[in-house]
Amino acid sequence: MNMKFNLLVVDDEKNIREGLGTSLEMDGYNVLLASNGEEALKILNSKELDLIITDLRMPVLSGQELLKKVISSNPGLPVIVLTGHGTIETAVNAMRDGAYDFLTKPVNLDRLTLLVKRALQGRELATEHKALKAEVERLKSRQKFSRMIGKSSGMMRVMEIIEQVASTKASVLITGESGVGKELVADAVHELSDRKGKAFIKVHCAALSESLLESELFGHEKGAFTGALARKRGRFELAHMGSIFLDEIGEIDQSTQIKILRVLQEKKFERVGGEETVEVDTRIISATNRDLKEEIEKGSFREDLFYRLNVVQIHVPPLRERKEDISLLASSFLEEFSKENNKGVEGFEHKAMTALHSYNWPGNIRELRNCIESAVVMCHGNVITVDDLPPALQDTTDQNCIRICTGSSLAEAEKKIIIETLNSQKGNKSKTAEVLGIGRKTLHRKLAEYELDL
Ligand SMILES: Nc1ncnc2c1ncn2[C@@H]1O[C@H](COP(=O)(O)OP(=O)(O)OP(=O)(O)O)[C@@H](O)[C@H]1O
Ligand SMILES: [Mg+2]
C-alpha cells in the first residue's frame, strides 16, 4: 500500500511509541522508532524520512527542540506533535514553530491515520510543484522568451513565428482574445529584434480620444490648439530607430487610420498644426482582440491599412485551447505571489488543480493570474485547496465527487466512499454515519470489515 513512506515515531513512553508504530505499520507504512529527540536526529541524518510524529516532553532533547531542528534542516518535512491533555497551549506554540498539526493524547488512531494520509499527500503535491517549477525554469532558460511561459503546441508555434519575424522589419499584427498575452508577444518581438535596446514605444489606442490620439502619435506644433504651449514630439518620432506598439488598433477612427497608413507607406508624417514633414524609421507592431476582417466588412476599418499592418500575423490562442499550459502557468504565478505575500504556499491540492483545468477561462491568462493571486491570499495552509479558489471555479468541480474507476469491486467503492466521507467529516464517525445514511454500528462494522477501524 504505502510502503514507500518512511515514518518516524518519537516518544519516551515505550507503550505509546510501539502502539503508534504498530498501528501505522498496519496502515502500510515503514515505521522507525526513537525514544527522544537526539535519537530522532540521528535517524533523520541517516534515513530519508517522509514524516515525523513526536511527543513534546521528552528527556535529552525535547520535541520542541527537535521540531526546530527539523524545520531548519528539512523544511517541508511534516512534523505531527503529540501532546497530553491540558497542554493545548504548547501544541499551539508548536504549530507556530512550524508543526504540521497536533494530536492530543490518548491518540485517536482514526485521526492519526487521516492526518498522516493528508500530510503525506501535501508532501507529494509539494514535490509535484517543485517538479513543475523546475520545468518552468528549464523552459525559460531554453527559450529566449524569459517571461512567456508555455509548452503547448499553440504557444510553441507562437514562439517559433516570433523568432522568425523578429529580426525582419515586417509589420506584425498580434490577434487574440483579451488576456491571452498579446503584449508579451509584442515585447518579445522587440526584444529579439536588432532594435533591442532602442526605443520601444507603446500606445494604448483605445484609451485616448480621437484628437488626443493624433497629437500623441504625431506630436504637435506650438499653438496647434488651445493648450499646445510648446512643440511636442509624437510617439512615432520617439520610436525612431526602435519599435512602436499600437495596442487595440481596432479602436482607432478613420482619420487616424489614414495617417497611420501614410506612415506605413511613406515613413512620413506632419505634426498636428505643422507643415514640416518628419521622417521616421520604426518597426510597427499592432494588436487587437477584434476580428478586423469583420470590421472591414462593416466599413469601420480600412482594408489597405489592414494589409499593411498584417504582413505577419501572430494569433495567440485562448487558454482553453491550450490547457497543457495551465499547470506551468499556475505554478509560476503561485511562486510569484507566494513570495510577494510572504506566504509559504507550496502547491495545489489535486482537486484544486482539477478545477483549474475544468474551467474555461474566458479572461484567459490574466484571469488565471488574478485567480492564483487571490487563492494565495486566501490560503491558510501550505497547499491551495478548492476552497481557496474564486466561486466561479468552485462551481466547475463537484467537491463531493470521488472517482471510482470501472473495474473496481463494490467493496472497493464502498471503502472509498467511507474513507472520503470520514475525511470530509474530519474523522467524526457520528457525522460520517449520518452523511452516509447508516447507523453508527453499521459504520463500525464496515470500518472493521475494511480494516479501517484500528
Ligand atoms: N505565456 C505567458 N506566460 C506568463 N504570463 C503571461 C503569459 N501570457 C500572458 N501572461 C500574463 O497575463 C497577463 C495578460 O497578458 P497581456 O496583457 O499581454 O494580455 P493581452 O492579450 O494584451 O490582453 P488585452 O487584449 O486585454 O490587452 C499579463 O499579466 C501577462 O504578463
Ligand atoms: Mg493588451
Side-chain angles (χ1 to χ4, degrees):
M1 216 164 93
N2 294 315
M3 289 311 271
K4 52 182 174 147
F5 292 118
N6 289 328
L7 274 48
L8 173 64
V9 178
V10 196
D11 200 308
D12 55 332
E13 272 179 68
K14 190 164 179 276
N15 286 346
I16 296 187
R17 184 167 76 226
E18 291 183 347
L20 294 181
T22 311
S23 157
L24 290 165
E25 267 170 1
M26 278 165 68
D27 283 348
Y29 301 112
N30 278 336
V31 182
L32 296 141
L33 302 175
S35 60
N36 61 56
E38 202 157 287
E39 262 182 58
L41 284 179
K42 276 197 195 121
I43 296 178
L44 182 67
N45 286 332
S46 62
K47 275 258 180 195
E48 276 284 314
L49 295 177
D50 296 294
L51 182 133
I52 298 177
I53 298 161
T54 181
D55 187 22
L56 287 176
R57 239 175 290 161
M58 288 180 298
V60 192
L61 188 78
S62 74
Q64 282 97 336
E65 284 162 286
L66 172 65
L67 174 65
K68 281 184 192 146
K69 295 219 155 116
V70 172
I71 296 297
S72 66
S73 67
N74 295 48
L77 178 62
V79 179
I80 296 173
V81 301
L82 305 175
T83 139
H85 272 310
T87 52
I88 289 291
E89 207 183 316
T90 351
V92 171
N93 285 338
M95 295 288 288
R96 227 170 266 149
D97 287 342
Y100 176 80
D101 211 332
F102 67 89
L103 285 169
T104 47
K105 288 183 182 175
V107 175
N108 173 333
L109 293 178
D110 287 340
R111 282 279 297 147
L112 176 69
T113 301
L114 288 175
L115 209 54
V116 166
K117 190 178 141 205
R118 205 174 304 143
L120 290 172
Q121 252 173 18
R123 188 161 162 75
E124 278 194 324
L125 292 173
T127 318
E128 201 174 295
H129 175 65
K130 262 190 208 142
L132 282 168
K133 248 167 47 183
E135 194 175 349
V136 169
E137 287 311 314
R138 196 173 51 76
L139 282 171
K140 276 184 177 173
S141 64
R142 209 184 51 196
Q143 293 159 353
K144 300 176 184 110
F145 310 90
S146 54
R147 288 186 303 138
M148 211 185 291
I149 295 158
K151 59 170 181 181
S152 60
S153 55
M155 275 317 277
M156 296 312 264
R157 179 87 194 110
V158 165
M159 294 179 193
E160 236 169 63
I161 305 177
I162 296 175
E163 283 200 272
Q164 274 171 11
V165 304
S167 57
T168 71
K169 258 204 81 180
S171 304
V172 177
L173 176 66
I174 306 162
T175 60
E177 291 174 16
S178 182
V180 286
K182 296 187 292 295
E183 190 161 344
L184 279 190
V185 171
D187 292 345
V189 171
H190 176 75
E191 284 299 311
L192 292 184
S193 73
D194 40 18
R195 290 169 183 259
K196 178 187 171 178
K198 306 273 168 54
F200 183 38
I201 306 292
K202 297 184 178 185
V203 189
H204 197 271
C205 302
L208 301 165
S209 70
E210 188 174 330
S211 53
L212 263 179
L213 179 61
E214 273 195 28
S215 89
E216 268 304 308
L217 286 175
F218 307 106
H220 57 73
E221 296 294 343
K222 184 176 174 182
F225 46 83
T226 338
L229 301 175
R231 170 197 272 188
K232 187 182 162 207
R233 295 200 299 159
R235 304 289 185 101
F236 273 110
E237 249 179 291
L238 295 173
H240 184 52
M241 301 312 285
S243 317
I244 189 165
F245 177 46
L246 304 174
D247 200 4
E248 313 251 10
I249 189 87
E251 314 300 315
I252 58 174
D253 64 275
Q254 296 276 346
S255 87
T256 315
Q257 286 180 29
I258 297 174
K259 292 190 175 144
I260 293 179
L261 180 65
R262 180 155 171 248
V263 180
L264 277 157
Q265 283 171 334
E266 300 170 24
K267 326 232 168 305
K268 285 180 193 155
F269 61 89
E270 285 88 37
R271 298 189 191 97
V272 175
E275 309 266 288
E276 187 193 337
T277 300
V278 184
E279 282 196 39
V280 283
D281 171 8
T282 180
R283 180 357 150 33
I284 300 192
I285 306 169
S286 49
T288 181
N289 50 29
R290 289 200 187 216
D291 181 349
L292 287 186
K293 285 259 168 69
E294 218 170 76
E295 301 300 315
I296 293 168
E297 266 166 40
K298 278 198 287 186
S300 53
F301 203 84
R302 294 183 66 99
E303 193 170 14
D304 44 7
L305 176 59
F306 172 74
Y307 285 111
R308 289 277 177 179
L309 293 171
N310 191 45
V311 176
V312 176
Q313 187 176 122
I314 304 180
H315 178 70
V316 191
L319 189 54
R320 65 179 173 281
E321 287 174 16
R322 45 176 166 120
K323 290 200 165 176
E324 313 90 284
D325 292 341
I326 291 178
S327 320
L328 283 180
L329 286 163
S331 273
S332 156
F333 296 146
L334 175 80
E335 179 80 4
E336 177 186 343
F337 292 117
S338 180
K339 256 191 212 140
E340 196 176 296
N341 295 290
N342 286 320
K343 289 217 167 184
V345 188
E346 290 178 333
F348 297 88
E349 183 198 57
H350 277 298
K351 279 183 196 159
M353 199 43 117
T354 310
L356 295 179
H357 280 82
S358 329
Y359 188 61
N360 83 336
W361 301 107
N364 293 295
I365 300 176
R366 180 177 297 116
E367 188 182 10
L368 174 62
R369 203 179 134 87
N370 292 342
C371 161
I372 304 297
E373 179 173 16
S374 98
V376 168
V377 171
M378 300 303 287
C379 183
H380 292 299
N382 58 354
V383 184
I384 300 225
T385 67
V386 174
D387 294 336
D388 301 324
L389 300 175
L393 272 97
Q394 296 188 16
D395 290 347
T396 67
T397 57
D398 188 350
Q399 287 178 62
N400 304 319
C401 274
I402 57 169
R403 246 176 98 89
I404 292 168
C405 305
T406 44
S408 317
S409 66
L410 260 185
E412 278 170 329
E414 189 173 83
K415 184 174 168 181
K416 210 162 176 178
I417 195 163
I418 290 175
I419 294 176
E420 288 306 317
T421 313
L422 253 177
N423 216 341
S424 70
Q425 298 304 321
K426 302 194 165 53
N428 183 318
K429 287 187 192 155
S430 314
K431 281 192 188 152
T432 302
E434 200 182 306
V435 171
L436 291 170
I438 53 176
R440 255 189 80 92
K441 272 196 190 144
T442 315
L443 177 63
H444 276 280
R445 188 168 44 73
K446 288 195 182 289
L447 288 173
E449 199 179 308
Y450 297 129
E451 294 175 346
L452 295 166
D453 202 6
L454 300 165

